Amino acid sequence: FLVDAREGVLPQEKQIADILKKIKKPVILVANKADNKVLQSQVHNKEWLALGLGAPVPISATNG
């Protein structure tokens, strides 16, 4: 499940997370646009963890 690290958790992402938690397959939460150390550290805050999908894996398409 790919989310935008810069935007924070959006209401529709909460709804999708609720759906994904009901399926029996593993889900990997990935936070794109984590282009700097601040954004990379913010993906471990309560807002993201509240989705119930574990800590997001920060990535940056721009910085590889």
Side-chain angles (χ1 to χ4, degrees):
F1 178 30
L2 183 66
V3 295
D4 187 330
R6 291 182 187 171
E7 293 295 319
V9 177
L10 301 174
Q12 58 268 37
E13 291 170 338
K14 291 178 183 179
Q15 293 173 337
I16 293 170
D18 288 340
I19 294 167
L20 291 173
K21 287 188 288 188
K22 294 176 185 175
I23 64 173
K24 301 289 183 200
K25 297 185 181 194
V27 175
I28 299 170
L29 181 60
V30 180
N32 192 26
K33 299 183 184 176
D35 299 327
N36 58 53
K37 298 234 183 249
V38 172
L39 288 171
Q40 290 172 4
S41 66
Q42 288 178 353
V43 300
H44 299 288
N45 69 23
K46 292 180 199 175
E47 181 182 39
W48 292 108
L49 297 175
L51 290 176
L53 299 174
V57 177
I59 64 167
S60 171
T62 300
N63 295 328

